[in-house]
Amino acid sequence: MGRGSNERNGTIMQRRAVVGGAGGFIGHHMVRYLKDKGYWVRGVDIKEPEYEATAADEFLVLDLREWENCLKATEGVEEVYQLAADMGGIGYITGNRVEIARNNVLINAHMLEAAFQNGVQRHFYSSSACIYPMYKQHDPDVTPLKEEDAYPADPEEGYGWEKLYSEKLCQYYQEEGKLETRVARFHNIYGPLGTYEGGREKAPAAISRKVALANDGDDIEIWGDGQQTRSFTYVDDCVEGIYLVSEVAGKKLVKQHDLTKPQGVRGRNSDNDLCKATLGWAPEVTLEDGLKSTYAWIEDQLDAAGRLPMSASA
């Protein structure tokens, strides 16, 4: 009997899950992953997926900042995958702290309580590496961050603080026996079918767009001095992990570093020892392989829109 089913009175029942944020990048991939596992899936978001039709059995367009919408979203399911969030790249999260903090606290508080009131069996919450203390991330050659490094707390302003607060809410629901909760802290998820322009895109998508739109020999703008370090996780590894708790283009380009743009902490890296010990699992897709598929998808999108340089689309 697969994970997407359970047995009741001799009858195999299909498990039911809701994915909050199913119109977004990770949520869209999560829906597809759960469907492949045999689940009945409800997708919920403020918008439908932009680049591909959802695989969800049911998709509800709902604003999860609203309490009644969260009750509706979590009704009649055993599992909640709470990926809904107001977020984006470093430029967006540093310039919209009020909206991000307010919107996400409302979404997460309402989704937890709605899941509890509707008798949900398990609630997964997607946190972020932005919760880790700023004082541990001043050096590009950073020591990999462990789960216990979160305290004493000094997270990223706005986005990091609201993520850490929502982690604590999950902890309280678990400790008081109201709801079984699980939390994972994401480190820069990337891959196809994600936002690649407009200000909310992450670094891999932004770089892929700039490279695709450039002619051979062009300059491309790089935010910061290029010495920042990060961990990156390909989206297929990410959704599997959730479920278990510039030469890519062949072009020679000149990088022009813009030190006036936000660049975040100097160094951030993930220590995956606890993940390996607990789940017997670790991400498998290398950054090189992941960027190849991400770049190819973004290049195809730009080509279809007629935006590629003539030399690249010829």
Side-chain angles (χ1 to χ4, degrees):
M1 186 163 50
R3 174 68 186 275
S5 60
N6 50 31
E7 189 170 346
R8 185 180 303 163
N9 298 325
T11 302
I12 296 177
M13 307 290 292
Q14 187 179 29
R15 288 190 67 81
R16 297 169 65 90
V18 62
V19 177
F25 170 46
I26 303 173
H28 177 69
H29 284 270
M30 193 73 228
V31 167
R32 191 165 57 187
Y33 184 89
L34 291 172
K35 286 300 300 174
D36 288 344
K37 288 288 185 182
Y39 279 69
W40 182 94
V41 181
R42 174 185 297 140
V44 179
D45 208 331
I46 201 167
K47 64 177 182 66
E48 294 185 2
E50 184 175 356
Y51 304 110
E52 180 182 82
T54 184
D57 297 278
E58 176 183 62
F59 194 98
L60 304 179
V61 177
L62 298 173
D63 185 344
L64 294 179
R65 293 172 297 184
E66 304 294 333
W67 164 242
E68 294 296 331
N69 289 342
C70 294
L71 279 175
K72 185 175 181 180
T74 56
E75 184 178 10
V77 299
E78 289 101 357
E79 300 176 18
V80 171
Y81 294 85
Q82 195 341 57
L83 303 167
D86 183 0
M87 57 86 66
I90 187 64
Y92 182 77
I93 67 172
T94 56
N96 298 275
R97 289 169 178 160
V98 170
E99 290 82 2
I100 287 171
R102 181 191 66 233
N103 291 341
N104 291 344
V105 166
L106 287 172
I107 291 169
N108 293 317
H110 287 160
M111 284 293 282
L112 278 164
E113 181 63 17
F116 164 60
Q117 292 197 18
N118 276 326
V120 167
Q121 294 175 10
R122 185 170 63 248
H123 183 286
F124 172 85
Y125 171 62
S126 57
S127 187
S128 167
C130 289
I131 67 94
Y132 286 112
M134 302 293 281
Y135 59 77
K136 286 185 174 288
Q137 303 173 77
H138 293 315
D139 189 341
D141 189 20
V142 66
T143 301
L145 295 162
K146 295 178 178 289
E147 285 74 13
E148 58 266 28
D149 288 335
Y151 296 94
D154 181 27
E156 189 98 33
E157 287 291 343
Y159 184 67
W161 275 110
E162 62 86 3
K163 284 290 186 184
L164 190 60
Y165 172 70
S166 295
E167 283 192 17
K168 297 300 288 185
L169 275 181
C170 289
Q171 176 187 331
Y172 301 150
Y173 272 83
Q174 176 85 27
E175 289 175 347
E176 295 184 12
K178 295 177 180 292
L179 182 64
E180 184 178 341
T181 60
R182 297 288 184 271
V183 175
R185 296 168 182 160
F186 293 169
H187 282 254
N188 294 292
I189 314 304
Y190 72 102
L193 303 175
T195 299
Y196 56 88
E197 62 185 342
R200 291 179 183 254
E201 69 275 16
K202 296 295 184 71
I207 292 295
S208 294
R209 182 196 73 243
K210 292 175 181 180
V211 172
L213 292 174
N215 282 307
D216 194 14
D218 280 354
D219 293 354
I220 59 169
E221 181 187 74
I222 305 293
W223 287 14
D225 60 10
Q227 299 303 306
Q228 313 95 290
T229 58
R230 298 291 187 275
S231 291
F232 295 95
T233 308
Y234 191 64
V235 67
D236 288 352
D237 283 332
C238 175
V239 296
E240 183 178 17
I242 290 172
Y243 189 69
L244 300 171
V245 181
S246 76
E247 301 275 54
V248 173
K251 298 177 183 177
K252 298 291 185 181
L253 301 172
V254 179
K255 294 179 285 187
Q256 295 292 341
H257 295 281
D258 188 343
L259 301 182
T260 68
K261 295 294 196 297
Q263 54 184 297
V265 296
R266 292 298 289 163
R268 176 181 291 151
N269 194 13
S270 173
D271 184 310
N272 294 330
D273 287 347
L274 182 62
C275 178
K276 293 174 185 175
T278 304
L279 304 178
W281 173 89
E284 296 180 353
V285 179
T286 66
L287 181 59
E288 181 179 2
D289 288 342
L291 278 175
K292 284 179 180 177
S293 61
T294 303
Y295 177 83
W297 179 79
I298 292 175
E299 185 180 43
D300 286 345
Q301 297 296 303
L302 295 169
D303 189 24
R307 296 173 58 189
L308 290 186
M310 291 298 294
S311 59
S313 58

